[in-house]
Amino acid sequence: MSRAEVSPEEMAPERVAPERAVSGAVVRAGVRAGVRPQTAAGFLALFRSEVGLTFRRARTLALLSILAALPVLIGVVVRVETGGESGGGGPAFVAQVTQNGLFLVFTALALTLPVFLPMSVGVVAGDAVAGEASAGTLRYLLVAPAGRTRLLAAKFTAALVYCAVATAVVALSALATGAALFPMGEVTLLSGDAIGPGAALLRALLVAAVVAASLAGLVAIGLFVSTLTGSGIAAMATTVVLVITVQILDSFPQLHAVQPYLFTHGWLSFGDLLRTPMYWDNVLDNLGLQAVYVAVFGSAAWARFASRDITA
Amino acid sequence: MVDQDTPYRTRRRTVGRVLVPVAVGAVVAAGAGLVPALASDSAPNLPAVSAEQLVAKVLGSETDAFSGTVKVKADLGVPSQLLGAAGGGGASPQAKALELLGGEHTLQVAADGPDRQRLGLVGELGGYEVVHNGDQLWAWDSKANEAHHVVLPKDAGHGRAAGAPLGAGSLTPQELAKQVLAAGAGTTSVTVDGTVEVAGRAAYKLSVKPTQAGSTVREVRIAVDAEHGVPLGVLVQVAGGGSPVLDAHFSSVSFATPAAKTFEFSAPKGAKVTEGRDAAAGAPAGAAEAAEAAGAARGKAEPARPGGDPGVNVVGEGWTAVLSTRLPEGGPSAGAGQDARGHGKGGPDNPLALVKSLGKPVGGGSLISTRLLNVLVTDDGRVFAGAVTLPVLQSAAGVK
């Protein structure tokens, strides 16, 4: 980890203490009652603390601003380079973007989903436990009897929130860029039908939700990897390498039999929602697969984290 | 967690924890493996019918309005890249129809009578759509942002619609099954072989087998909807065994009349529109032609050779019918064979040399073989093609 990337929290564990005080207050209440606080409020406090921690990191903000800049870059390139004629080449939906700025949302999501979004999600999820361990804050967290399971659940949920925020950042930035550079109005879907701008915005919202949910499996994998090591950077790198490896495997025709079970396989199925009638089969397959990955790797992360010795 | 208060965690508990994700994985794997197996085992109970009754039910079916999703899986043993190249690539309906003959594809189909059909090819981040409404025929490729528009002649539109509504439309289970059922009485054994569930509907399995020796087709299996008499799926097995050469079936279907606006199509804003004045000039005609040729070949689901040479003859009948024609005369043949691969796409200078480089030499010429279709090109440039074995082709060519 480079010096510049180390956030203040990591540099000075004592500064984390007020941050953690939120959960600490709840914990104290629980101690007074003589039991661990298994309340929704307790979880919520822990969760809020995790979300705050995630989004206050300079690293997270840098990732989000890169994600926000990408649609602008794509929009400008398409605007400058597409002189009316777009003969089917280039990234997805480019022909549509020049007709309607709203399509930049879908182009941006299709372009960021294979690499940028999973990379940033891998950083956040991989860092979740291992980062605390390497910064030496994990044992402080566990001294409080908040419960390892609940801590893990809070970290998982916070990472899911990051997925949603990252996707929303890409979508909103693309929407703003698209509106600024290209005409808006009726949107021609992939099946050739036109729908009004309102309905198109709803579809964009739906697509963004599906894209964010597509990353859930990766979050679970990243969290599991994160519980395996005490080094934050190792967990992040492993998660990102895993994403790339799986996508390479997904491109071999010889591995046709296993490909439907790779967590990246259905990522681009969101395009099927841009048809009339919407074609849900692939999207639902993808979401089901993500649920399976969450179940398997989430429970693996729990099994590992709940029984591991915390030395850092 | 209780264990945080206890200083020592027992080894047994740790092992127990590790078993949780393993168990979750096992349950999921078992579920994924077992559920489809169980689902396909439960054959619905239906009253027994004879083959004749079932065929009559299909032919007499009045149901011509439906919508649904069709899965097409073709394994002709031809590389899909070659199919793409043969179709010329790009947005033309011909290319798309050929593309369907390799790999797996999903189609969204809707139809309301002979005059209105819609067919959408679901692609990753793209779509291809063919809409037929009365005398209007649109083909739309979202990736290329191109639309083809053809105004069909009034009368011809009806005639074509009755036989093959759209070129690519002949791949819907209905059309395929009807063509196969019409194929031939004396040469074919048709039996009802139990029941099956397709797209959540109870269906009879109609088994069609050639009784003639020499066909590469072993069995054509058609799932016929028990209530509506509509074919819901077609499965073609070849004599060589292995996976089905063609498996087209509905994965979901509704027999409600689709909304009228389903069949309304206008040129999308900003799309490049190619106008074809009538069917003969328009690109879809090629696909329709191909479908008709396929029909002429007694309905087997084989790709008709595009060509339109005047001298196409049919030798034999039934399942062992062989199409014969001549190779187009090439230009000067000098050295063309050396570079045949490079000429594959454009149009080789010497077709015979190209065929020789692609095919394998057999008695009397060169054989280009796929799992279903065999093509024999004799040394003097005659072409014999059919879903038949090599000896049948050779005897049709008179070379053996």
Side-chain angles (χ1 to χ4, degrees), chain A residues 36 86 88 92-93 95-96 99-100 110 147-149 184 186 188-193 256 265 268 270-272 275-279 281 292 295-296 299-300 302-303 306-309, chain B residues 1-5 9 14 17-18 20-21 24-25 28 69 71 104 106 108 118 120-129 140 142-145 251 261 264-266 268-270 272:
Chain A
R36 283 164 290 113
S86 54
F93 309 137
Q96 279 79 14
Q99 304 306 321
N100 194 305
R148 294 190 181 194
T149 308
M184 301 289 271
E186 287 225 317
T188 304
L189 296 174
L190 299 184
S191 52
D193 308 272
H256 188 72
H265 185 70
L268 293 181
F270 72 81
D272 293 350
R275 310 173 52 85
T276 32
M278 284 192 240
Y279 180 60
D281 288 18
V292 169
V296 172
S299 60
W302 170 78
S307 58
R308 127 181 182 187
D309 294 326
Chain B
M1 286 291 110
V2 180
D3 56 352
Q4 252 127 62
D5 304 328
R9 242 164 277 118
T14 309
R17 288 222 160 93
V18 171
V20 173
V24 170
V28 168
T69 307
K71 300 260 188 203
E104 287 175 56
T106 303
Q108 285 182 313
R118 179 171 190 143
L121 180 60
V122 178
E124 186 164 89
L125 301 181
Y128 186 80
E129 209 81 8
W140 152 252
S142 84
K143 276 195 180 162
N145 202 22
S251 64
K261 76 171 170 47
E264 281 164 17
F265 195 92
S266 55
K269 198 177 56 159
K272 195 174 116 193

Side-chain angles (χ1 to χ4, degrees), chain A residues 124-139:
Chain A
V124 170
D127 192 49
V129 176
E132 300 262 15
S134 62
T137 47
L138 188 56
R139 62 182 133 185

